[in-house]
Amino acid sequence: PLILGTSYRPGARFGPQAIRQASRHLRYNFHPVYQTEPFKSLQVADAGDVACNPYSIDEAIFQIETTATDLNKHTDAIVSLGGDHTIAVPLLRAANKKVKGPVALVHFDAHLDTWDTYFGAPYTHGTPFRRAAEEGLFMEDASMHVGIRGPLYSPDDLKNDQELGFKTIHCDELEKHGPDHVARRIRDRIGDHPLYLSIDIDVLDPAHAPGTGTPEIAGLTTRELLNILRGLAGVNLVAADIVEVSPAYDHAEITSLAAATIAYEMINLVVCRSR
């Protein structure tokens, strides 16, 4: 439940709590698309919140990495609930320790999150994948952004991002070719490598996810996002996160329910990998 890296609307600290609450609505027994019974196939547990320092981002990052590393000793995969996107850095560190090397990275977001600093700060929700690149935490030839849209600070933003190895699927490409095309591009890019999947809820259009800190119009629908994820059945998913749910700006649990459903899809992807 970290919000120390947030730049605009605060409140993602309460995202994990809201996602858990919204998950009460879901029926978990059987997923008809994957033909899975996830909680019969896997032992799944809520490990609770990381007790991260709300005043020190450096200490909070260390606490998240330490907790995730310890959990990885006892589990096949972790699905993490944020919190702001800064949590991806320590979670990627923990995933690297688990697989003993860098992972493929697929990042769903409206924003690149590869800026060098944000308002002069190196660790923010706009910089996690620049820090991850500097530490060699993901494979340059197996990394992607999906859902990018909206204005940027400079043309150099795209150039600098490409230098880190990312390929980008903009929302315009999804609109033109559809979810199946996007899923195929992702699969071709990541191959059989261990995959870290990071989903910022603002990849969804604000009509589908109003409760987030930095909304951008003209985003994905929930149907499009779920269909892309379902097209990834069988990938080697070792860790995932869903971040930036800010319930203070949510209406009728729209955003929290979307995040809870996405987390359930991620659990089913772990089942499909095991199967």
Side-chain angles (χ1 to χ4, degrees):
L2 179 71
I3 61 165
L4 292 173
T6 303
S7 62
Y8 188 47
R9 300 195 307 204
R13 174 182 296 162
F14 303 104
Q17 173 183 317
I19 296 168
R20 289 185 180 102
Q21 173 63 28
S23 74
R24 291 168 173 262
H25 170 70
L26 300 178
R27 290 170 292 279
Y28 291 116
N29 303 71
F30 175 67
H31 198 302
V33 175
Y34 300 108
Q35 293 288 298
T36 53
E37 296 177 276
F39 295 99
K40 287 185 178 180
S41 302
L42 296 177
Q43 178 67 48
V44 181
D46 182 349
D49 287 350
V50 176
C52 48
N53 189 326
Y55 297 107
S56 169
I57 195 165
D58 291 335
E59 184 175 352
I61 288 171
F62 173 77
Q63 290 165 325
I64 294 168
E65 179 184 353
T66 300
T67 303
T69 300
D70 183 61
L71 286 173
N72 271 329
K73 297 174 184 176
H74 310 287
T75 185
D76 289 334
I78 297 175
V79 175
S80 302
L81 311 178
D84 74 58
H85 220 153
T86 312
I87 70 171
V89 175
L91 292 172
L92 276 165
R93 290 173 181 167
N96 274 236
K97 293 176 185 176
K98 180 178 179 62
V99 303
K100 297 179 173 57
V103 294
L105 172 63
V106 176
H107 167 223
F108 286 79
D109 203 321
H111 313 99
L112 296 169
D113 288 0
T114 52
W115 288 282
D116 185 27
T117 61
Y118 220 37
F119 298 97
Y123 286 100
T124 75
H125 70 166
T127 63
F129 300 113
R130 171 61 65 105
R131 302 287 85 81
E134 291 169 348
E135 295 182 29
L137 299 179
F138 62 85
M139 302 173 183
E140 292 186 6
D141 59 351
S143 59
M144 296 194 80
H145 301 299
V146 183
I148 303 300
R149 61 190 186 277
L152 299 168
Y153 292 109
S154 162
D156 290 338
D157 290 348
L158 294 173
K159 175 178 176 291
N160 295 337
D161 183 82
Q162 290 171 352
E163 290 175 352
L164 302 179
F166 283 102
K167 298 295 183 183
T168 300
I169 300 176
H170 293 269
C171 272
D172 291 344
E173 182 175 346
L174 169 63
E175 176 69 20
K176 184 175 181 180
H177 297 289
D180 290 344
H181 163 84
V182 173
R184 282 195 300 271
R185 275 203 62 190
I186 294 172
R187 296 184 76 104
D188 289 345
R189 180 74 170 160
I190 65 175
D192 295 325
H193 296 300
L195 171 64
Y196 187 102
L197 178 61
S198 184
I199 300 185
D200 188 325
I201 201 67
D202 71 27
V203 74
L204 297 175
D205 188 89
H208 297 264
T212 191
T214 49
E216 296 280 354
I217 67 164
L220 277 66
T221 68
T222 48
R223 180 183 294 112
E224 288 170 336
L225 179 54
L226 290 187
N227 283 336
I228 294 170
L229 293 177
R230 291 168 183 176
L232 301 182
V235 298
N236 186 14
L237 184 65
V238 296
D241 67 53
I242 173 72
V243 300
E244 299 284 352
V245 173
S246 186
Y249 302 94
D250 207 4
H251 308 289
E253 294 187 322
I254 294 172
T255 314
S256 302
L257 179 59
T261 305
I262 291 165
Y264 180 55
E265 294 289 320
M266 292 170 167
I267 292 169
N268 277 277
L269 288 176
V270 176
V271 175
C272 291
R273 180 202 70 178
S274 302
R275 187 172 61 183

